[in-house]
Amino acid sequence: MSGAILARGATLPSGERADVLIDGGIIARVGSGVDAAGATVIDADGLLALPGLVDLHTHLREPGYEQSETVLTGTRAAARGGYTAVFPMANTFPVADTAGVVEQVASLGRAAGYATVQPIGAVTVGLAGERLAELGAMASSRAGVRVFSDDGLCVADPLLMRRALEYVKAFGGVIAQHAQDPRLTEGAQMNEGALSGRLGLAGWPAVAEESIIARDVLLAEHVGSRLHVCHVSTAGSVEVIRWAKARGIDVTAEVTPHHLLLTEDRVEGYDARFKVNPPLRRSEDVHALREALADGTIDIVATDHAPHPAEAKESEWAAAANGMVGLESALSIVHETMVATGLLDWAGVARVMSQAPARIGGLAGQGEAIEAGAAPELLLYDPEPRSGFSIDRLSGRSRNTPYLGIDLPGRVVAVVHGGYATVLDGALRPAEEVAEAARHAWNTPEARHG
């Protein structure tokens, strides 16, 4: 599995057809008539070759919540969806607020081998929003943390948020904010509007998100630091971010696949698979998010993959946990909502799902263009088939997907990470083989010293 891999006749994001040879820990050749004795050959005729996808917002749950997901099971789900790198959020138990915890998570990712695992560190100790966590220690640790977030909770204290932005500026870090005013969303259950009133569910107003984003972009401007806005969900948020970028503020933003596809109407059946934070919004918001992703106001797609055990979702709406799994379905949803609608081409997909997330997260060796000398991170995708999304497409530990039965396009055929295959012919490679290939990759001089 660690030998050369040749994808023959693939279509690059530019639309050009080429053979892609991965050998010696790099993309060795890209062109026509490429050959390599002994290589594993993949017939890529009709397949798109994209840089391995990078998810800047994943929940792997380990340590502490292994009943929902582990680093191994979560990265298997990531590989099945075309991802070669994920950034796991800090809301574990213990919280990833020290160098020791983030190093543990990164080490588990290296051992599993299915994807690069680049931990996100907590902004505040225990996510309590009272004092800053060990930001510098996490940044200088072997994990090399550059993204910090209290995701699941908002850094609501403006002074604490200012101090965090000032602190990470020294080493090129970024604060990824979960924009949710806690007072405006007390008891909130779904998007605030006529539907929430009819269903008898407490409303979650758009201004609760928009007001925090407005405050934070001004703070980022004031201190000259980087801000990243997690899971943008409203048209008003788009306008605030657009204004901030026009002003030259160093802000980036993400949208989730589910906010590109699903609307608040899904809540009518009280099916808790559709309960998520921030909530599903109006069709007008969905349209605004798609347009913002297309024009660059929103920089990336991030899954917010949030696994839960069955009992956390199979309950009455008010008691159910927020969140849905999304790694295996993300590329198909972006295909459906952005490519099939003409809003993005495949080069645009590579930008918002690979190149820009790697750049924002400061992750070298990911998101590179498919060319000779680049890192060996590659995805082969068949855009033609359509099928109803089913449980057998999930490879993680949890099953809380909102897409069951929804007709979606495309199929991930093969994934190469670190120069070895993690997925071939649509199937995950065995864990033992992947772990052995990862050990070999990590024992090269380049890996030890790079």
Side-chain angles (χ1 to χ4, degrees):
M1 245 181 62
S2 56
I5 298 171
L6 175 61
R8 195 181 296 284
T11 302
L12 303 181
S14 64
E16 174 191 1
R17 289 194 64 195
D19 302 333
V20 181
L21 175 65
I22 293 173
D23 192 15
I26 60 169
I27 295 178
R29 289 186 64 190
V30 178
S32 60
V34 176
D35 205 356
T40 298
V41 178
I42 302 171
D43 181 3
D45 184 36
L47 304 183
L48 290 163
L50 298 170
L53 306 184
V54 177
D55 189 16
L56 199 67
H57 189 151
T58 308
H59 296 273
L60 296 182
R61 303 303 191 202
E62 189 176 13
Y65 304 108
E66 289 84 356
Q67 72 274 26
S68 299
E69 196 77 282
T70 67
V71 172
L72 173 60
T73 63
T75 53
R76 282 170 63 86
R80 184 87 181 273
Y83 287 89
T84 56
V86 295
F87 285 71
M89 282 292 177
N91 55 343
T92 52
F93 184 78
V95 170
D97 57 4
T98 65
V101 178
V102 295
E103 287 180 349
Q104 176 194 7
V105 173
S107 178
L108 288 168
R110 286 193 295 272
Y114 281 97
T116 296
V117 174
Q118 178 58 55
I120 291 175
V123 177
T124 67
V125 174
L127 307 179
E130 296 174 354
R131 57 193 176 93
L132 292 182
E134 299 176 6
L135 308 183
M138 287 187 280
S140 60
S141 73
R142 189 181 179 194
V145 176
R146 287 297 178 270
V147 183
F148 299 86
S149 181
D150 277 4
D151 183 63
L153 297 168
C154 179
V155 182
D157 184 325
L159 179 59
L160 199 62
M161 186 63 177
R162 172 184 174 169
R163 296 295 182 235
L165 288 164
E166 289 173 331
Y167 201 111
V168 301
K169 180 182 177 182
F171 49 79
V174 59
I175 301 297
Q177 175 70 295
H178 175 114
Q180 177 192 349
D181 187 294
R183 292 300 303 277
L184 290 174
T185 53
E186 290 178 2
Q189 294 292 315
M190 68 168 292
N191 182 55
E192 182 180 271
L195 183 59
S196 64
R198 182 160 60 82
L199 297 178
L201 295 174
W204 192 306
V207 70
E209 175 176 300
E210 296 155 7
S211 60
I212 294 294
I213 297 173
R215 182 202 74 178
D216 287 350
V217 295
L218 292 173
L219 286 173
E221 180 182 44
H222 181 67
V223 303
S225 190
R226 295 172 61 207
L227 170 72
H228 179 74
V229 184
C230 295
H231 41 51
V232 174
S233 71
T234 78
S237 294
V238 167
E239 290 309 309
V240 174
I241 294 164
R242 184 172 284 125
W243 172 87
K245 287 191 168 188
R247 193 175 170 89
I249 299 172
D250 198 354
V251 57
T252 54
E254 70 190 35
V255 63
T256 70
H258 47 272
H259 286 114
L260 290 172
L261 179 67
L262 305 173
T263 68
E264 63 176 358
D265 297 336
R266 297 279 181 170
V267 180
E268 290 202 65
Y270 298 97
D271 184 342
R273 289 181 301 130
F274 299 102
K275 186 178 181 183
V276 66
N277 178 351
L280 301 178
R281 303 289 190 179
R282 309 165 303 159
S283 59
E284 297 96 314
D285 295 303
V286 170
H287 177 75
L289 294 170
R290 292 182 184 183
E291 292 289 343
L293 184 63
D295 69 23
T297 301
I298 293 177
D299 300 83
I300 66 170
V301 174
T303 70
D304 195 7
H305 175 81
H308 291 290
E311 61 270 19
K313 296 296 277 187
E314 295 174 1
S315 62
E316 65 181 35
W317 181 274
N322 285 302
M324 48 187 66
V325 296
L327 285 164
E328 298 98 331
S329 49
L331 182 54
S332 289
I333 292 168
V334 172
H335 182 176
E336 180 83 338
T337 60
M338 301 299 297
V339 179
T341 57
L343 290 169
L344 281 181
D345 58 15
W346 288 106
V349 172
R351 171 175 55 82
V352 302
M353 297 190 76
S354 184
Q355 294 156 359
R359 173 181 54 79
I360 292 167
L363 189 56
Q366 295 283 344
E368 298 181 4
I370 300 172
E371 58 188 22
E377 310 291 329
L378 184 72
L379 155 68
L380 295 175
Y381 178 73
D382 186 350
E384 290 304 318
R386 291 189 70 92
S387 60
F389 195 86
S390 58
I391 287 291
D392 62 11
R393 288 182 62 175
L394 299 178
S395 298
R397 186 161 282 184
S398 296
R399 297 290 181 263
N400 54 306
T401 173
Y403 306 115
L404 291 181
I406 296 178
D407 196 43
L408 292 174
R411 172 177 175 259
V412 172
V413 175
V415 179
V416 179
H417 164 58
Y420 55 89
T422 58
V423 175
L424 283 175
D425 196 23
L428 287 164
R429 304 300 298 156
E432 301 81 8
E433 293 183 17
V434 171
E436 177 59 30
R439 281 192 292 272
H440 176 80
W442 275 98
N443 282 328
T444 63
E446 292 82 2
R448 287 196 299 269
H449 298 104

mmCIF file of all heavy atoms in Angstrom, residues 190-210:
data_model
loop_
_atom_site.group_PDB
_atom_site.id
_atom_site.type_symbol
_atom_site.label_atom_id
_atom_site.label_comp_id
_atom_site.label_asym_id
_atom_site.label_seq_id
_atom_site.Cartn_x
_atom_site.Cartn_y
_atom_site.Cartn_z
ATOM 1 N N MET A 190 -35.139 26.592 17.700
ATOM 2 C CA MET A 190 -35.081 26.616 16.241
ATOM 3 C C MET A 190 -35.057 28.060 15.776
ATOM 4 O O MET A 190 -35.158 28.984 16.587
ATOM 5 C CB MET A 190 -36.279 25.879 15.632
ATOM 6 C CG MET A 190 -37.622 26.569 15.852
ATOM 7 S SD MET A 190 -38.972 25.892 14.841
ATOM 8 C CE MET A 190 -38.462 26.392 13.181
ATOM 9 N N ASN A 191 -34.923 28.270 14.484
ATOM 10 C CA ASN A 191 -34.918 29.621 13.941
ATOM 11 C C ASN A 191 -36.177 30.385 14.355
ATOM 12 O O ASN A 191 -37.292 29.872 14.280
ATOM 13 C CB ASN A 191 -34.847 29.554 12.407
ATOM 14 C CG ASN A 191 -34.802 30.927 11.776
ATOM 15 O OD1 ASN A 191 -33.949 31.734 12.108
ATOM 16 N ND2 ASN A 191 -35.726 31.190 10.865
ATOM 17 N N GLU A 192 -35.983 31.634 14.789
ATOM 18 C CA GLU A 192 -37.110 32.464 15.198
ATOM 19 C C GLU A 192 -37.857 32.968 13.975
ATOM 20 O O GLU A 192 -37.273 33.523 13.040
ATOM 21 C CB GLU A 192 -36.604 33.651 16.019
ATOM 22 C CG GLU A 192 -37.709 34.547 16.537
ATOM 23 C CD GLU A 192 -37.158 35.703 17.343
ATOM 24 O OE1 GLU A 192 -36.989 35.532 18.561
ATOM 25 O OE2 GLU A 192 -36.882 36.768 16.750
ATOM 26 N N GLY A 193 -39.179 32.776 13.973
ATOM 27 C CA GLY A 193 -40.002 33.223 12.862
ATOM 28 C C GLY A 193 -41.412 32.696 12.993
ATOM 29 O O GLY A 193 -41.796 32.152 14.043
ATOM 30 N N ALA A 194 -42.169 32.830 11.941
ATOM 31 C CA ALA A 194 -43.559 32.381 11.977
ATOM 32 C C ALA A 194 -43.658 30.886 12.248
ATOM 33 O O ALA A 194 -44.559 30.429 12.975
ATOM 34 C CB ALA A 194 -44.247 32.721 10.653
ATOM 35 N N LEU A 195 -42.728 30.107 11.687
ATOM 36 C CA LEU A 195 -42.786 28.658 11.875
ATOM 37 C C LEU A 195 -42.526 28.274 13.320
ATOM 38 O O LEU A 195 -43.198 27.393 13.866
ATOM 39 C CB LEU A 195 -41.782 27.967 10.948
ATOM 40 C CG LEU A 195 -41.784 26.440 11.001
ATOM 41 C CD1 LEU A 195 -43.155 25.874 10.641
ATOM 42 C CD2 LEU A 195 -40.711 25.868 10.078
ATOM 43 N N SER A 196 -41.571 28.912 13.974
ATOM 44 C CA SER A 196 -41.297 28.582 15.377
ATOM 45 C C SER A 196 -42.520 28.888 16.244
ATOM 46 O O SER A 196 -42.840 28.130 17.172
ATOM 47 C CB SER A 196 -40.076 29.350 15.893
ATOM 48 O OG SER A 196 -40.295 30.754 15.898
ATOM 49 N N GLY A 197 -43.207 29.971 15.926
ATOM 50 C CA GLY A 197 -44.427 30.287 16.668
ATOM 51 C C GLY A 197 -45.501 29.249 16.458
ATOM 52 O O GLY A 197 -46.179 28.835 17.410
ATOM 53 N N ARG A 198 -45.666 28.794 15.232
ATOM 54 C CA ARG A 198 -46.693 27.792 14.935
ATOM 55 C C ARG A 198 -46.370 26.453 15.573
ATOM 56 O O ARG A 198 -47.275 25.744 16.034
ATOM 57 C CB ARG A 198 -46.838 27.647 13.423
ATOM 58 C CG ARG A 198 -47.911 26.661 12.999
ATOM 59 C CD ARG A 198 -48.359 26.899 11.568
ATOM 60 N NE ARG A 198 -47.281 26.770 10.605
ATOM 61 C CZ ARG A 198 -46.853 25.597 10.122
ATOM 62 N NH1 ARG A 198 -47.415 24.468 10.534
ATOM 63 N NH2 ARG A 198 -45.875 25.557 9.236
ATOM 64 N N LEU A 199 -45.079 26.108 15.631
ATOM 65 C CA LEU A 199 -44.695 24.822 16.208
ATOM 66 C C LEU A 199 -44.566 24.863 17.725
ATOM 67 O O LEU A 199 -44.406 23.822 18.365
ATOM 68 C CB LEU A 199 -43.358 24.359 15.605
ATOM 69 C CG LEU A 199 -43.344 24.078 14.097
ATOM 70 C CD1 LEU A 199 -41.944 23.667 13.648
ATOM 71 C CD2 LEU A 199 -44.354 22.998 13.742
ATOM 72 N N GLY A 200 -44.618 26.052 18.295
ATOM 73 C CA GLY A 200 -44.506 26.171 19.741
ATOM 74 C C GLY A 200 -43.108 25.954 20.272
ATOM 75 O O GLY A 200 -42.918 25.511 21.407
ATOM 76 N N LEU A 201 -42.099 26.275 19.448
ATOM 77 C CA LEU A 201 -40.702 26.118 19.850
ATOM 78 C C LEU A 201 -40.065 27.496 20.014
ATOM 79 O O LEU A 201 -40.261 28.377 19.182
ATOM 80 C CB LEU A 201 -39.930 25.316 18.802
ATOM 81 C CG LEU A 201 -40.363 23.854 18.619
ATOM 82 C CD1 LEU A 201 -39.610 23.218 17.455
ATOM 83 C CD2 LEU A 201 -40.131 23.054 19.893
ATOM 84 N N ALA A 202 -39.300 27.670 21.079
ATOM 85 C CA ALA A 202 -38.668 28.955 21.352
ATOM 86 C C ALA A 202 -37.743 29.345 20.213
ATOM 87 O O ALA A 202 -36.948 28.539 19.726
ATOM 88 C CB ALA A 202 -37.889 28.884 22.666
ATOM 89 N N GLY A 203 -37.829 30.601 19.782
ATOM 90 C CA GLY A 203 -37.108 31.063 18.610
ATOM 91 C C GLY A 203 -35.664 31.440 18.883
ATOM 92 O O GLY A 203 -35.318 31.941 19.955
ATOM 93 N N TRP A 204 -34.837 31.225 17.868
ATOM 94 C CA TRP A 204 -33.402 31.519 17.880
ATOM 95 C C TRP A 204 -33.187 32.654 16.890
ATOM 96 O O TRP A 204 -33.091 32.442 15.683
ATOM 97 C CB TRP A 204 -32.671 30.271 17.430
ATOM 98 C CG TRP A 204 -31.192 30.196 17.604
ATOM 99 C CD1 TRP A 204 -30.260 31.074 17.177
ATOM 100 C CD2 TRP A 204 -30.493 29.104 18.212
ATOM 101 N NE1 TRP A 204 -29.007 30.617 17.476
ATOM 102 C CE2 TRP A 204 -29.114 29.410 18.115
ATOM 103 C CE3 TRP A 204 -30.872 27.913 18.813
ATOM 104 C CZ2 TRP A 204 -28.134 28.551 18.610
ATOM 105 C CZ3 TRP A 204 -29.899 27.069 19.301
ATOM 106 C CH2 TRP A 204 -28.543 27.392 19.210
ATOM 107 N N PRO A 205 -33.110 33.906 17.342
ATOM 108 C CA PRO A 205 -33.107 35.032 16.405
ATOM 109 C C PRO A 205 -31.796 35.159 15.633
ATOM 110 O O PRO A 205 -30.709 34.890 16.167
ATOM 111 C CB PRO A 205 -33.321 36.241 17.319
ATOM 112 C CG PRO A 205 -32.777 35.809 18.641
ATOM 113 C CD PRO A 205 -33.064 34.343 18.753
ATOM 114 N N ALA A 206 -31.892 35.582 14.403
ATOM 115 C CA ALA A 206 -30.715 35.788 13.570
ATOM 116 C C ALA A 206 -29.765 36.805 14.190
ATOM 117 O O ALA A 206 -28.541 36.682 14.082
ATOM 118 C CB ALA A 206 -31.143 36.241 12.178
ATOM 119 N N VAL A 207 -30.323 37.808 14.879
ATOM 120 C CA VAL A 207 -29.487 38.865 15.449
ATOM 121 C C VAL A 207 -28.551 38.327 16.525
ATOM 122 O O VAL A 207 -27.504 38.926 16.810
ATOM 123 C CB VAL A 207 -30.367 40.008 16.007
ATOM 124 C CG1 VAL A 207 -31.124 39.579 17.262
ATOM 125 C CG2 VAL A 207 -29.538 41.263 16.266
ATOM 126 N N ALA A 208 -28.856 37.187 17.116
ATOM 127 C CA ALA A 208 -27.965 36.602 18.119
ATOM 128 C C ALA A 208 -26.631 36.205 17.501
ATOM 129 O O ALA A 208 -25.592 36.235 18.173
ATOM 130 C CB ALA A 208 -28.631 35.391 18.762
ATOM 131 N N GLU A 209 -26.648 35.819 16.251
ATOM 132 C CA GLU A 209 -25.421 35.512 15.515
ATOM 133 C C GLU A 209 -24.791 36.778 14.952
ATOM 134 O O GLU A 209 -23.586 37.017 15.104
ATOM 135 C CB GLU A 209 -25.748 34.540 14.381
ATOM 136 C CG GLU A 209 -24.582 34.217 13.448
ATOM 137 C CD GLU A 209 -24.981 33.163 12.415
ATOM 138 O OE1 GLU A 209 -25.363 32.046 12.828
ATOM 139 O OE2 GLU A 209 -24.921 33.466 11.193
ATOM 140 N N GLU A 210 -25.600 37.599 14.337
ATOM 141 C CA GLU A 210 -25.101 38.763 13.623
ATOM 142 C C GLU A 210 -24.451 39.787 14.549
ATOM 143 O O GLU A 210 -23.433 40.407 14.195
ATOM 144 C CB GLU A 210 -26.251 39.397 12.842
ATOM 145 C CG GLU A 210 -26.806 38.481 11.761
ATOM 146 C CD GLU A 210 -28.243 38.751 11.362
ATOM 147 O OE1 GLU A 210 -28.799 39.769 11.844
ATOM 148 O OE2 GLU A 210 -28.815 37.955 10.589
#
